Amino acid sequence: MTSRAPDPGRRNPRSRAAILAATRELLAEAGFRALTIEKIAARAGVGKQTIYRWWPSKGAVVFDALLALSETPEGAESGTPGTVELPDTGDIDADLRTVLRATVAEFADPAFEAPLRALYIEMITDADLAADYRRRMAAPINEAKRRRLRTAQEQGQLHPDADLDLIVEMLYAPLTQRWLLGTGPLDRDFADRLVTNALHAARAPGAGPRSA
């Protein structure tokens, strides 16, 4: 598969930033159906051919617009998101509650929610975009989650045979489903209950949550 990673040698950083900001603004204002390359170009003050040269599809522009929210200044030109690390206070329960609460807050933020929902829509029919999402976004984030769980495992907070990949799924699949389908409120209480239930079966013998 041909990589869709941005080519920094072909992009003007200022124009790129304007295009991605315009994409997020238009998504928040009118949604994905109303989004067009022409409207993005007009809002960003660039020619539409500039966008067509730099991105293979509207979905790819949306994906980079989402990734740009987590870019470091050093990685902005190449579209590289900042290094992903979960908090590590030594208390896996507290750290995961912090992360899940932050995720719930992101899903409630139109600046994040609109491009992510649009991206999910596009990935249903665009296999290349879905693969790009898994490689550039899902894979590094999931590895960061596994690293934090692995540390807790090494510290004796989780069972040595606990399936870390499954714990990640148990934490995030219910949250994503509730966000996508609107089956219930996304709030701190829900985030906390996900952590409690996902870690319950993975707890090492004699280990209990360090904080309530």
Side-chain angles (χ1 to χ4, degrees):
M1 185 187 75
T2 302
S3 172
R4 289 171 177 255
D7 179 0
R10 297 177 58 198
R11 299 189 182 187
N12 178 292
R14 184 172 298 178
S15 295
R16 175 183 179 274
I19 290 166
L20 300 183
T23 300
R24 292 190 297 269
E25 291 169 5
L26 290 167
L27 282 170
E29 291 170 9
F32 184 74
R33 284 189 179 179
L35 184 71
T36 65
I37 296 296
E38 290 75 12
K39 289 180 180 179
I40 296 172
R43 176 70 63 92
V46 302
K48 64 181 181 180
Q49 290 305 319
T50 298
I51 299 177
Y52 286 124
R53 282 198 307 271
W54 293 348
W55 286 277
S57 67
K58 183 173 70 170
V61 183
V62 170
F63 183 30
D64 273 5
L66 180 64
L67 279 178
L69 294 174
S70 60
E71 287 173 359
T72 62
E74 294 79 10
E77 292 187 7
S78 62
T80 303
T83 302
V84 181
E85 291 294 343
L86 270 62
D88 187 351
T89 65
D91 183 341
I92 187 62
D93 296 77
D95 292 342
L96 288 180
R97 280 198 297 272
T98 296
V99 172
L100 266 291
R101 289 173 180 178
T103 302
V104 165
E106 280 186 328
F107 282 175
D109 180 357
F112 179 88
E113 195 269 352
L116 184 60
R117 190 172 290 274
L119 180 63
Y120 273 47
I121 293 170
E122 281 295 279
M123 287 194 297
I124 293 172
T125 56
D126 189 336
D128 286 342
L129 181 62
D132 202 25
Y133 169 83
R134 290 192 297 270
R135 177 178 63 84
R136 296 172 61 202
M137 189 170 191
I141 291 175
N142 285 337
E143 179 53 34
K145 296 168 186 173
R146 285 190 293 269
R147 280 198 303 272
R148 180 63 191 91
L149 291 169
R150 197 174 297 119
T151 298
Q153 202 172 39
E154 292 166 353
Q155 294 171 341
Q157 297 182 58
L158 301 180
H159 196 282
D161 294 330
D163 186 331
L164 304 187
D165 288 321
L166 184 58
I167 295 174
V168 171
E169 295 269 359
M170 292 170 67
L171 284 167
Y172 285 89
L175 191 156
T176 302
Q177 175 176 294
R178 184 170 286 202
W179 168 69
L180 282 172
L181 303 181
T183 54
L186 282 175
D187 52 25
R188 289 164 60 100
D189 176 67
F190 181 61
D192 291 352
R193 287 189 288 119
L194 283 177
V195 172
T196 298
N197 284 276
L199 293 185
H200 177 72
R203 193 81 62 190
R210 298 186 181 183
S211 55

